[in-house]
Amino acid sequence: MKIIDSIYINGEFVKPQGNQVFDLISPTTNKQIGQVVLGNEHDARTAIAAAKEAFKTFSQTAKAERIEYLKRMREAVSRRKDELVDVMVEEYGGTLQFCRMSMEFTLSGFTAAIATLEKFDFTKKMGFSEVQLTPLGVVGIIIPWNASNGFIAGKLATAVAAGCTAVIKPSEMSALQTQLMAECLHEAGLPAGVFNIVNGLGETVGAEISTHPDVAKISFTGSSTVGKIIAREASATLKRYTLELGGKSPNILLGDADFSKAIPTAIAAAFMNSGQACVAATRLLVPESRLEEAKELIQTMLPLFPVGDPKEETTAIGPMVSQKQYERVQGYIKLGIEEGASVLTGGLGHPEGLENGNFVKPTVFYNVDNKMRIAQEEIFGPVLSIITYKDEAEAVEIANDTIYGLQAYVSSANTERARRVASQINAGRVLVNGLNHDPEAPFGGFKQSGIGREFGIYGLEAYLEPKALIG
Ligand code: NAP
Ligand code: MG
């Protein structure tokens, strides 16, 4: 059993003042694997003070120096890549396949920040004035459990690129993953106080960060509910914020799409990260005339996405992160049945032989109306709804009939047609004919999927304040 009893403040691992203990439970076996001692408000304040002090000098560093730090961070994380993957599989229950991909995504956070920074000019000429883009100050980074170290990398790399300093509050459920990440980042040898990591609860450490007057900006990833709380709290001191929230992504298969490719891609997009992904393509929009074909192909291809022990090479869908998350997903499967949707595969309960962990049967519903709650609310588990449409216009209408707008997917034999449909969808990213990620393209949501963008130039500018020197 591993005990995490330190937090990282001002370049050192220190004992937190908080003494509340949180048990770390394996999602695969529901046995205890560790314990974390949580920090409290005092710890958050100490970390903020360290970041504030470090900002005085770090904000003055040259771009070349910060590029060097980012390279060292990337190297330090890369050196312990395999351990980072293993701890993610163990603590979070992510599949080996997914955690390896997530690790590449984590590293790309640094690589992309370096690439953006190399091209970025911190002074611009506008009118007859000089506009200086200056770092905002101390940034509070508050993140969820579903790709914890990836979020730390992406957000911290951008903060460092901008010349900001940071206080990070991860999910307490990711304590083992955070500890290893903190050790890597410590190795990179940044000046003390540039980044600080405080384990603790949202309502204590998170709340302190989102209200403290010395925090200039919050970069948050998590649920829309908590995002709204943070926006309210942050407004008292007019903090800037970037909010990356929930999603209910539509995946439109156009009438001419090659289903032998589009259906396995649709399953992968729906069940990625065991369905615990904000960008999961959970609404599959198929032409009415091709519904039977879609259903048959899903049934044939689902065995290619086995549920099971996340440590196994072949497993595609692992357990839900916690018992609570398991119950939540069960609640939605029950709701779908009550709402009158038909179960194509899956349903309530554990898959056979996997009763000890938080495993869910990958569930596909059809006869789903887009107005049903299973089609409107984020489930965050392997549950897919098939919704039929009559023509392209109706497909776009259904796709946009949601409070969310984080990501969408379109498939067609004709890429031009797919792009034309893609440009009518209200979402921050639309993936055309496949599952691509571009770490330099903006990421973020329309509507209640969030405010602001991460990655690339938009991501970097969100950590900077323009100052015009006139005359
Ligand atoms: P969550 O409940 O919103 O929590 C996210 C983080 O906020 C956690 O660290 C949490 O602390 C903290 N928090 C809770 N209450 C707070 C408060 N009052 N003040 C400040 N911080 C507070 O989300 P989750 O259940 O961990 O993660 C799942 C959600 O994240 C889903 O809705 C998903 O869509 C979203 N998500 C979005 C993206 C995106 O990029 N758009 C990516 C991944 C996930 P605790 O440790 O106490 O919980
Ligand atoms: Mg939570």
Side-chain angles (χ1 to χ4, degrees):
M1 204 172 81
K2 297 182 191 103
I3 313 274
I4 307 295
D5 58 357
S6 65
I7 52 179
Y8 188 78
I9 296 183
N10 207 25
E12 287 178 326
F13 288 92
V14 296
K15 296 266 174 272
Q17 290 191 40
N19 54 15
Q20 195 181 339
V21 171
F22 179 88
D23 291 338
L24 302 168
I25 309 294
S26 157
T28 308
T29 62
N30 273 317
K31 294 208 171 90
Q32 188 173 351
I33 51 171
Q35 258 187 351
V36 52
V37 181
L38 301 176
N40 64 14
E41 296 87 341
H42 297 286
D43 298 305
R45 287 200 279 272
T46 313
I48 293 166
K52 185 184 179 185
E53 185 58 31
F55 182 71
K56 290 178 188 162
T57 43
F58 197 66
S59 57
Q60 305 302 313
T61 49
K63 184 165 125 170
E65 191 180 332
R66 299 204 297 276
I67 289 174
E68 193 47 41
Y69 288 136
L70 287 165
K71 287 184 178 162
R72 274 160 40 189
M73 289 161 89
R74 188 188 189 287
E75 269 164 34
V77 173
S78 182
R79 269 198 296 276
R80 297 183 74 179
K81 204 165 135 163
D82 295 343
E83 281 172 83
L84 284 157
V85 168
D86 290 347
V87 69
M88 186 173 179
V89 174
E90 186 196 15
E91 183 180 43
Y92 166 59
T95 66
L96 201 51
Q97 294 176 10
F98 176 78
C99 294
R100 284 194 190 123
M101 199 180 74
S102 178
M103 191 62 231
E104 293 312 314
F105 172 82
T106 300
L107 293 172
S108 79
F110 298 108
T111 316
I114 294 166
T116 304
L117 187 53
E118 274 167 347
K119 285 179 286 209
F120 195 78
D121 206 345
F122 286 85
T123 16
K124 298 185 198 305
K125 194 101 187 129
M126 289 185 183
F128 57 88
S129 304
E130 179 187 287
V131 178
Q132 300 175 344
L133 293 161
T134 60
L136 273 170
V138 176
V139 178
I141 294 175
I142 303 178
I143 51 171
W145 37 260
N146 65 331
S148 186
N149 285 337
F151 298 133
I152 292 181
K155 291 177 194 296
L156 180 60
T158 315
V160 166
C164 291
T165 58
V167 176
I168 302 167
K169 191 216 91 68
S171 165
E172 62 282 356
M173 283 192 281
S174 311
L176 300 176
Q177 297 161 79
T178 305
Q179 175 67 22
L180 191 50
M181 187 68 167
E183 288 172 18
C184 294
L185 295 171
H186 175 71
E187 284 291 300
L190 269 65
V194 167
F195 72 93
N196 306 272
I197 305 178
V198 184
N199 290 317
L201 294 179
E203 56 265 34
T204 56
V205 174
E208 185 63 33
I209 294 172
S210 34
T211 50
H212 199 292
D214 289 338
V215 174
K217 174 197 167 85
I218 304 287
S219 179
F220 173 78
T221 296
S223 62
S224 294
T225 309
V226 174
K228 288 173 194 172
I229 296 174
I230 289 181
R232 260 200 314 275
E233 296 292 346
S235 71
T237 47
L238 292 182
K239 291 186 203 328
R240 280 64 180 142
Y241 46 76
T242 303
L243 305 175
E244 300 290 354
L245 311 176
K248 194 73 194 180
S249 300
N251 180 1
I252 302 181
L253 306 192
L254 289 170
D256 64 354
D258 174 358
F259 277 20
S260 70
K261 288 199 193 104
I263 292 289
T265 304
I267 299 172
F271 297 160
M272 67 166 98
N273 201 359
S274 311
Q276 300 174 121
C278 51
V279 293
T282 49
R283 293 186 296 145
L284 182 61
L285 274 53
V286 300
E288 216 168 62
S289 58
R290 297 188 70 184
L291 173 65
E292 288 313 312
E293 192 187 341
K295 281 163 57 184
E296 269 168 42
L297 273 168
I298 288 175
Q299 276 174 315
T300 323
M301 291 184 169
L302 210 55
L304 301 174
F305 297 82
V307 192
D309 186 339
K311 287 191 196 71
E312 294 290 331
E313 285 286 345
T314 50
T315 300
I317 303 169
M320 303 295 93
V321 70
S322 62
Q323 191 97 42
K324 189 173 150 211
Q325 190 66 19
Y326 170 84
E327 293 302 340
R328 179 186 149 90
V329 176
Q330 293 298 308
Y332 272 106
I333 296 174
K334 191 161 165 278
L335 175 70
I337 296 166
E338 285 165 7
E339 285 184 306
S342 309
V343 176
L344 179 66
T345 60
L348 286 166
H350 294 91
E352 216 183 293
L354 292 169
E355 291 79 7
N356 293 335
N358 306 321
F359 296 93
V360 169
K361 292 179 192 161
T363 299
V364 180
F365 283 114
Y366 65 104
N367 285 333
V368 177
D369 185 299
N370 196 55
K371 298 281 178 228
M372 289 179 182
R373 284 181 57 199
I374 52 162
Q376 287 291 323
E377 297 176 18
E378 185 178 54
I379 298 173
F380 233 56
V383 182
L384 172 65
S385 291
I386 306 177
I387 301 167
T388 57
Y389 66 85
K390 288 192 178 59
D391 54 27
E392 204 178 282
E394 196 191 18
V396 171
E397 196 180 303
I398 295 170
N400 286 333
D401 180 16
T402 165
I403 59 165
Y404 294 113
L406 186 60
Q407 188 151 294
Y409 305 75
V410 182
S411 293
S412 165
N414 176 344
T415 308
E416 280 319 302
R417 183 181 174 204
R419 293 173 73 94
R420 184 165 44 75
V421 170
S423 51
Q424 296 170 65
I425 299 175
N426 302 324
R429 276 188 175 191
V430 188
L431 308 195
V432 176
N433 283 337
L435 305 180
N436 299 306
H437 170 61
D438 183 346
E440 287 186 65
F443 176 73
F446 280 44
K447 300 189 269 183
Q448 294 189 37
S449 284
I451 291 184
R453 293 292 181 271
E454 297 196 278
F455 305 128
I457 288 174
Y458 289 110
L460 182 56
E461 284 183 347
Y463 288 73
L464 299 165
E465 196 81 80
K467 179 196 293 175
L469 299 193
I470 307 175

